[in-house]
Amino acid sequence: MPLRAQRQIAARRPLRLGAATITGGFWHDRRETNRTSTIPAAARRLEEAGTLRNLRRAAGHEPAGDGFAGKLFADTDVYKWLEAVAWEQARSASAELAEWQKTTNALVEAAQEPDGYLNSYVRLVLGGQRFGDLEKGHELYCAGHLLQAAVAQSRATGDHTLLAVATRFADLLCKTFGPGRTEGVDGHPLIEMALVELYRETGTSAYLELASYFVEARGHGLLEPPGHHGPAYFQDHLPVRDVRTLTGHAVRALYLAAGATDVAVETGDQELLDALRSSWQTMVESQTYLTGGVGSRWYGEAFGDPFELPPDAAYCETCAAIASVQWSWRLLLATGESQYADLIERTLYNAVISGVSLTGREFFYVNTLKVRNNAFADDQRSAVAGRQPWFGTACCPPNVMRTLSSLDQLIATSDDDGVQVHLYAPATVAAELAAGSVGLEVATRYPWHGRVTVTVTGSPAQPWTLALRLPAWAAGCTASVNGIAQPTGPAGRMLELRRTWTVGDEVVLDLPVGARRTVPDDRIDSVRGCVAIECGPLVYCFEQVDQDLVLDAAAVSAGDLVEVERPDLLGGVTTVEVPARDGRMLTAIPYYAWANREVGPMTVWIDAR
Ligand code: FUB
Ligand code: ZN
């Protein structure tokens, strides 16, 4: 299919892998837990759950047996874990990680069929019958995760074993799908962004063309929706460029939006990009929880109607939060607008890491915002069941792993004129500008403290722009360069500091991360009259275990919010003391840390009438 190829739309460039490194602080600690606890535990879970055995059987390394372990897309758990294993190695060599990569690659390679096809479920259960059920079969979804893992390995480790497997499969897909071949799209998007990444990695334009085909073919009734769901559930009700509100299964909708953004960027399709930006706006304004979580309905794991954001019945799948981050990142690169990084930050700190325990060994699939007294668990995914070591549908745990492993890549970008810092963490940043090489060192105790100090460690002789994100909540922030105050203007934008920088120059940004009350939009009927507590990017919640009054009946009053540093609590947090209406004090903790002591009543929103 001829592309509408024009010029790539890219306001910002990602930094080269390894150019930004988180060196300490909040995210460093989470990432260390991910590396030392979560990823190794997952290696065992993938074995215990039979997920790796599926591949061994498909490869002929074990007798086929008579069963298949897990869901038909179980291979993707391995691919996402492999992706995490790859990104980790970009930071530090590890014999254990290298060995896992080598042995699992060999397994995946052996399970691949001579013409490039690869899917253990199709091989073991469907007798090799391919692409017979695009609505539910997840074959291209599985392929997509394979491609993503392969690209990660190629970039992070230089190992092209999996890339060779992925390109063989992608070549087969190019021969199979498209105009004049099989006309079809997958019921679960993902292949779109995976193909674009493979195109970026290999330069093979056929992969971009196929991604573009999958985006354009959607919304023309190619899918026959099964069961109760209509075409909107599978994002097949409208051409993607005509969509203005995301519908249906949240992860599907968001992966499709991310892939379509990739296609729009690479093909210079401004109309498509504008449509996607419009959907993003609608999502943020009316379909997103305070935590950044999305997908309010348990039924179908789906987006709800506008402002249908019940805290107690919230679904907020961890994968949906991750998909939202992936989409916002693509829009950030395309436009440079700080609102996208604002949502990335909100989602990461709240909806993503609430999905994993502080030990890194247990996971929430569903991230509720409220648990009532005497709530009962009728589902493994229920908050009341607590975080689980693994799931029958184990999409979320390895998704968290690959997200934390690749987090450094999100903290900064560059363009010809300068460097933009989007996420604040102790870090080193290096970038190549038109004028020459730039180096930065970021020091901060964010999110607990709002001071961010950026020191220039390398600079060309010509002027360039250092841009720092002023989050939308940061009204009243201040900034200085070498002790001289700088006008910051309103929050919710990038602070652009353009000058001839010299090594040792120091920028100090002070963000007001103190506790604040947030009121919900009046149209969210389920939380009308409530407030929530936030500190900087962190959303807070109240857990019964911290209160001496019954949370279900509690209400807060006006009065000072008091922050208390608690290095002893939940890995080190700042709690907030909030005056209750009866004169006592309620204690709020960061939402991400809830359910790490006991699973009991909890609420983000609290009555304030
Ligand atoms: O269908 C594959 C994955 O399983 C989805 O992305 C998740 O929502 C879960 O249903
Ligand atoms: Zn999931």
Side-chain angles (χ1 to χ4, degrees), residues 66-90:
D66 56 0
F68 181 86
K71 296 284 192 243
L72 73 176
F73 46 84
D75 289 352
T76 61
D77 301 340
V78 175
Y79 300 148
K80 278 186 269 188
W81 173 77
L82 272 180
E83 190 181 331
V85 166
W87 294 132
E88 282 303 328
Q89 292 174 83

Side-chain angles (χ1 to χ4, degrees), residues 567-579:
D568 56 314
L569 185 67
L570 295 165
V573 297
T574 296
T575 62
V576 180
E577 298 294 305
V578 186

Side-chain angles (χ1 to χ4, degrees), residues 386-438:
R387 292 187 182 88
Q388 304 286 309
W390 207 245
F391 299 96
T393 300
C395 48
C396 299
N399 225 354
V400 171
M401 293 172 215
R402 65 178 185 149
T403 303
L404 289 172
S405 293
S406 54
L407 202 64
D408 307 59
Q409 298 170 43
L410 305 186
I411 66 176
T413 55
S414 69
D415 60 13
D416 284 346
D417 183 52
V419 178
Q420 304 82 36
V421 181
H422 304 290
L423 298 181
Y424 297 120
T428 54
V429 175
E432 297 304 319
L433 310 185
S437 304
V438 164

Side-chain angles (χ1 to χ4, degrees), residues 418-597:
V419 178
Q420 304 82 36
V421 181
H422 304 290
L423 298 181
Y424 297 120
T428 54
V429 175
E432 297 304 319
L433 310 185
S437 304
V438 164
L440 300 173
E441 185 165 328
V442 184
T444 183
R445 292 174 64 203
Y446 193 85
W448 312 116
H449 294 264
R451 172 155 293 193
V452 180
T453 304
V454 182
T455 305
V456 176
T457 56
S459 176
Q462 291 84 4
W464 55 275
T465 303
L466 171 60
L468 304 176
R469 182 174 59 94
L470 306 179
W473 48 259
C477 61
T478 59
S480 65
V481 176
N482 297 332
I484 299 167
Q486 306 291 311
T488 56
R493 52 188 278 281
M494 299 302 285
L495 170 64
E496 297 193 342
L497 301 165
R498 183 173 173 75
R499 54 189 279 152
T500 304
W501 297 94
T502 52
V503 170
D505 281 347
E506 191 178 85
V507 179
V508 176
L509 177 65
D510 276 304
L511 298 168
V513 296
R516 63 186 191 274
R517 288 178 173 81
T518 300
V519 294
D521 189 301
D522 277 345
R523 289 165 287 187
I524 312 172
D525 49 297
S526 47
V527 292
R528 207 172 284 146
C530 294
V531 296
I533 305 298
E534 295 185 274
C535 294
L538 294 171
V539 173
Y540 274 60
C541 72
F542 301 90
E543 275 194 298
Q544 185 64 66
V545 66
D546 293 313
Q547 326 301 337
D548 53 12
L549 68 172
V550 176
L551 202 47
D552 276 358
V556 296
S557 61
D560 289 346
L561 303 174
V562 182
E563 291 146 46
V564 183
E565 287 195 31
R566 293 286 308 273
D568 56 314
L569 185 67
L570 295 165
V573 297
T574 296
T575 62
V576 180
E577 298 294 305
V578 186
R581 201 161 48 200
D582 70 357
R584 287 181 280 185
M585 296 298 275
L586 289 156
T587 299
I589 62 158
Y591 169 75
Y592 73 78
W594 93 276
N596 274 286
R597 292 167 291 177

